[in-house]
Structures are given as structure tokens and as C-alpha cells.
Amino acid sequence: MSKQIAIDGSNILSKTVRSTLLQNTTATLSLAACISAALFSTYTSAE
């Protein structure tokens, strides 16, 4: 019984870590897209 609880606990932790990594990746990609758009806009308006 205690082994089953340990397995369940590690699965919850694993899902939490994966969810956090996914959110961080999504936030990083969103920030990169905003910076790219701003730089492109600045570049095209300068010409």
C-alpha cells in the first residue's frame, strides 16, 4: 500500500513539473514573439 502512495505522489509531482515547464516555455515563446514583432516594426518604420 505504501508503495502505491509513493508512486501516486511522484506522478503528481511529475505532472506539476511538466506543467510548470510548459508554462515557462509558452511564456518564453510569447515574449520572443513580441520582441521579434517590435524589432520588425521598428526596422520597417526606419526605412
Side-chain angles (χ1 to χ4, degrees), residues 1-46:
M1 186 68 176
S2 62
K3 288 183 180 179
Q4 184 64 38
I5 292 170
I7 290 171
D8 289 343
S10 66
N11 285 341
I12 292 169
L13 179 61
S14 178
K15 287 178 184 178
T16 303
V17 169
R18 273 186 263 155
S19 176
T20 303
L21 289 174
L22 181 61
Q23 289 173 355
N24 287 344
T25 302
T26 304
T28 302
L29 290 174
S30 298
L31 180 60
C34 290
I35 291 171
S36 296
L39 290 174
F40 181 74
S41 173
T42 303
Y43 177 74
T44 55
S45 66

